[in-house]
Amino acid sequence: MKSIIVYFSLEGNTEYIADELTKALSADKLKLVPKKAYSTSGFSKFFWGGKSAVMAEKPELEPYDVDLSAYDQVVFGFPVWAGTFTPPLRTFILENKEGLKNKKIAAFACQSGAGAERAFAKLGECIGIDSFAATAIFIDPKDKPSEENTHKIGDFCKNLQ
Ligand SMILES: Cc1cc2nc3c(=O)[nH]c(=O)nc-3n(C[C@H](O)[C@H](O)[C@H](O)COP(=O)(O)O)c2cc1C
């Protein structure tokens, strides 16, 4: 099974898990980068990021090069923002509707508190699927490496072998 990890990360947590999954699944990875960067500091970070998520924005992305026909599985990774998935994924999904058809799709979310389950439901709606092959939730994993996270990564990957 050939996999690609498609993710957005503002502050490195999602990227940390994306890197672990890339190794564990011998996958490729694609980082989504919005043309207009989100702020990483203070009030602006929560205000503009939160607004973008709540308004279901579709931010323009920096050019990326991917041929989804080369993959059996697509794993989406994102930080939870305002109880939903982050907007750069929406842009990617809308730009790749055809390429995502008939793929095995999994998703993982990073959060500091709650909202990931709702975010998975919203992401599934956006892709047009009823369920994911696997999901996993991590709490700010880059700052709190733990055995629990190692197990979660292992369980997640078992469903994708
Ligand atoms: C704009 C914004 C909104 C957020 N909203 C939530 C939320 O609704 N629930 C939650 O648990 N964490 C929320 N967080 C925290 C992040 O989801 C969490 O810190 C995540 O691990 C960050 O991943 P990253 O380092 O890949 O960006 C929010 C963070 C930002 C910047």
Side-chain angles (χ1 to χ4, degrees):
M1 283 268 190
K2 184 77 186 140
S3 309
I4 183 165
I5 320 290
V6 178
Y7 70 101
F8 167 76
S9 182
L10 185 67
E11 295 182 287
N13 288 281
T14 311
E15 182 147 58
Y16 170 82
I17 298 295
D19 286 345
E20 294 296 308
L21 290 174
T22 300
K23 281 184 255 164
L25 293 168
S26 302
D28 291 335
K29 67 174 179 165
L30 172 66
K31 181 176 187 171
L32 304 178
V33 181
K35 274 201 165 158
K36 186 171 182 295
Y38 289 103
S39 171
T40 52
S41 61
F43 175 76
S44 293
K45 173 172 85 171
F46 289 101
F47 182 79
W48 292 110
K51 174 184 164 286
S52 181
V54 168
M55 302 297 282
E57 286 181 352
K58 299 181 264 302
E60 202 179 332
L61 301 177
E62 290 290 352
Y64 55 86
D65 185 17
V66 70
D67 174 11
L68 289 179
S69 69
Y71 301 97
D72 310 293
Q73 312 190 119
V74 180
V75 178
F76 286 108
F78 60 89
V80 175
W81 279 5
T84 188
F85 66 94
T86 33
L89 272 72
R90 179 176 294 101
T91 310
F92 179 85
I93 290 161
L94 296 177
E95 288 176 351
N96 292 278
K97 273 270 172 202
E98 283 304 311
L100 288 168
K101 276 191 185 145
N102 303 319
K103 301 285 176 207
K104 194 166 168 181
I105 309 245
F108 69 94
C110 294
Q111 62 182 13
S112 53
E117 294 295 352
R118 180 173 174 269
F120 289 141
K122 295 253 171 209
L123 183 68
E125 263 173 47
C126 181
I127 301 167
I129 55 171
D130 296 330
S131 63
F132 290 94
T135 56
I137 301 169
F138 301 91
I139 307 291
D140 291 333
K142 95 177 152 101
D143 300 327
K144 301 168 197 159
S146 70
E147 220 165 279
E148 191 193 342
N149 285 344
T150 309
H151 284 303
K152 274 190 202 172
I153 290 169
D155 287 345
F156 185 75
C157 290
K158 259 186 225 154
N159 290 312
L160 301 179
Q161 301 296 347

